[in-house]
């Protein structure tokens, strides 16, 4: 009997071990760390580069482009994978993300990877027992390429005016502290990142001294499609401020680079609900109950907050000062260039509601200074 019980315990232990191994084998493993295609934001991907890749790797590489731009994913599988990446910062919910955030390289690469994936059978996400194991060799190869670039070519952030002007929207406060020359250089710095060749001797000499600059694209061949949405906003803001001060004339006798400063990179501004009067006025219809009891000024500010979200440049000093203090505000569109067609149905309805309540209190509305 003792031997029987002993053999039974061995069998029971063996069964539990098999069960543990079975459960462990179907549980998603830890995601490998690193980019699958580190160059997908600044170079076109060819079929040869991803030849032999399984559909899962192609799917992940395609979504890596979205993840780089801060997209969060409905797919539990993708979200788990990218959340494990050291470089990932999910900012935009799926319904907030727009493909317009991608630059020309990224847009083309998304389509290339999707076409190749479809040609060999599109990968189905969130299937039971999915694993990240098959991605390891591709992630390791991508990380080696990243490290190789970093080892052979190190860029000093101080060689830029704004080293992160391609990744975040500059604030009005930052732009306001620039000299006229710095406004001009900071704007062209964004073009220089994309290889723009300058006809100005002053600008050409300035950027050729930077170890990150390669002049490869003639001005006549340069396309704005190379710029992402953040870069376009920053160019517009810098140019508006420069023009407001009369504009900077390059190649004037006696120009010098000694007064051009470098400003430290910052994390993208953390925006909370408290930074808005109605943080969701672009996402839902406001009700009478929402705006009941608001002051004349609050109603005016809440209405103009909807314009401010769209980059409207206010003529009123009061509104410029108020929205200029908000980390999310990026003034890009002068009044004469602004069209109300940019508003969605929620925004248009909420503007009408807020205006109705404001003018019900005072037929002249709130008087701005």
């Amino acid at each position: 009997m003792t031997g029987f019980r002993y053999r039974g315990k061995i069998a029971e232990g063996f069964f539990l071990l098999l069960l543990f191994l079975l459960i462990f084998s179907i549980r998603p493993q830890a995601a490998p760390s690193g980019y699958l295609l580190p160059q997908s934001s600044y170079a076109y991907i060819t079929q040869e580069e991803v030849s032999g890749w399984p559909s899962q790797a192609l799917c992940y590489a395609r979504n890596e482009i979205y993840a780089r731009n801060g997209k969060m994913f409905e797919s539990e599988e993708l979200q788990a994978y990218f959340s494990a990446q050291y470089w990932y910062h999910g900012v935009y919910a799926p319904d907030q993300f727009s493909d317009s955030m991608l630059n020309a390289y990224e847009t083309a690469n998304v389509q290339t990877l999707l076409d190749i994936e479809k040609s060999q059978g599109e990968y189905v996400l969130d299937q039971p027992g999915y694993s990240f194991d098959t991605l390891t060799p591709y992630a390791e190869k991508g990380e080696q390429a990243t490290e190789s670039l970093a080892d052979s070519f190190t860029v000093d952030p101080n060689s830029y005016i704004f080293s992160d002007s391609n990744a975040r929207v500059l604030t009005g406060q930052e732009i306001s502290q620039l000299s006229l020359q710095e406004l001009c250089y900071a704007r062209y710095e964004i073009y220089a990142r994309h290889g723009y060749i300058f006809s100005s001797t002053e600008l050409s000499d300035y950027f050729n001294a930077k170890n990150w600059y390669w002049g490869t694209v003639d001005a006549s061949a340069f396309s704005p499609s190379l710029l992402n949405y953040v870069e376009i906003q920053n160019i517009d803001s810098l140019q508006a401020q420069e023009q407001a001060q009369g504009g900077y004339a390059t190649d004037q006798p006696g120009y010098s680079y000694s007064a051009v400063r470098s400003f430290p990179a910052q994390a993208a501004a953390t925006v909370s609900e408290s930074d808005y009067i109605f943080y969701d006025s672009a996402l839902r219809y406001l009700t009478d109950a929402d705006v009941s009891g608001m002051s004349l000024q609050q109603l005016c500010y809440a209405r103009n907050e909807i314009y401010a979200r769209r980059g409207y440049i206010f003529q009123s000093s009061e509104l410029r000062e108020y929205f200029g203090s908000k980390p999310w505000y990026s003034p890009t569109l002068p009044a004469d260039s602004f069209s109300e067609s940019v508003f969605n149905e929620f925004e248009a309805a909420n503007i009408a509601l807020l205006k109705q309540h404001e003018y019900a209190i005072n037929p002249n509305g709130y008087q701005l200074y």
Side-chain angles (χ1 to χ4, degrees), residues 298-365:
Q298 288 172 327
L299 288 164
C300 174
Y301 281 23
R303 174 166 56 86
N304 281 288
E305 180 174 80
I306 299 172
Y307 285 84
R309 265 202 189 95
R310 297 291 186 172
Y312 187 90
I313 298 175
F314 297 98
Q315 295 177 313
S316 159
S317 298
E318 181 176 352
L319 292 179
R320 282 203 303 270
E321 291 172 10
Y322 174 76
F323 290 110
S325 68
K326 303 299 178 183
W328 52 263
Y329 178 56
S330 178
T332 57
L333 294 173
D336 59 359
S337 301
F338 191 87
S339 169
E340 295 194 355
S341 64
V342 301
F343 295 131
N344 63 34
E345 59 183 278
F346 300 113
E347 293 169 315
N350 291 335
I351 287 170
L353 177 70
L354 290 161
K355 188 173 184 178
Q356 176 188 346
H357 278 260
E358 179 185 344
Y359 283 80
I361 297 174
N362 186 322
N364 295 316

Side-chain angles (χ1 to χ4, degrees), residues 74-302:
E74 291 179 353
S75 162
E76 177 184 318
E77 179 178 349
L78 288 178
Q79 191 62 47
Y81 177 82
F82 290 113
S83 292
Q85 303 303 316
Y86 64 87
W87 49 263
Y88 176 66
H89 300 284
V91 177
Y92 303 104
D95 61 346
Q96 295 176 317
F97 190 87
S98 167
D99 281 359
S100 64
M101 296 180 180
L102 307 181
N103 63 32
Y105 296 108
E106 293 170 322
T107 301
N109 290 335
V110 163
Q111 192 59 53
T112 297
L113 291 164
L114 181 59
D115 290 344
I116 298 172
E117 182 188 344
K118 285 182 174 179
S119 71
Q120 61 188 47
E122 204 166 345
Y123 178 71
V124 181
L125 291 161
D126 299 307
Q127 296 299 297
Y130 68 81
S131 170
F132 302 135
D133 288 350
T134 57
L135 301 167
T136 300
Y138 307 102
E140 288 178 348
K141 185 177 179 181
E143 195 63 4
Q144 287 169 2
T146 302
E147 291 172 358
S148 176
L149 285 170
D151 290 342
S152 62
F153 184 73
T154 301
V155 177
D156 180 3
N158 292 323
S159 64
Y160 294 93
I161 297 175
F162 290 112
S163 64
D164 53 355
S165 61
N166 63 331
R168 68 177 180 90
V169 175
L170 301 174
T171 66
Q173 182 179 5
E174 287 176 301
I175 292 173
S176 67
Q177 62 185 317
L178 300 180
S179 69
L180 198 56
Q181 183 183 27
E182 287 169 337
L183 286 166
C184 175
Y185 283 26
R187 173 164 57 91
Y188 281 118
E189 181 173 80
I190 297 171
Y191 288 93
R193 274 196 180 94
H194 296 277
Y196 187 96
I197 297 175
F198 298 94
S199 57
S200 159
T201 301
E202 177 179 352
L203 293 174
S204 182
D205 289 349
Y206 174 80
F207 288 111
N208 275 315
K210 309 297 180 183
N211 70 337
W212 50 264
Y213 174 68
W214 288 280
T216 56
V217 185
D218 190 77
S220 62
F222 190 88
S223 170
S225 65
L226 295 174
L227 307 171
N228 65 34
Y229 83 111
V230 169
E231 292 172 316
I232 291 170
Q233 288 193 58
N234 287 336
I235 286 170
D236 290 343
S237 297
L238 290 161
Q239 188 167 31
Q241 182 72 8
E242 181 188 342
Q243 290 177 344
Q245 297 181 24
Y248 179 76
T250 59
D251 299 309
Q252 297 300 298
Y255 66 79
S256 168
Y257 305 135
S258 61
V260 179
R261 298 166 292 174
S262 175
F263 296 84
Q266 298 179 15
T270 301
V271 179
S272 66
E273 294 181 16
S274 62
D275 291 310
Y276 297 91
I277 299 173
F278 290 112
Y279 77 96
D280 55 355
S281 60
L283 305 174
R284 70 175 178 93
Y285 293 114
L286 299 178
T287 66
D288 289 324
D290 287 323
V291 302
S292 177
M294 292 179 68
S295 69
L296 198 63
Q297 183 188 48
Q298 288 172 327
L299 288 164
C300 174
Y301 281 23

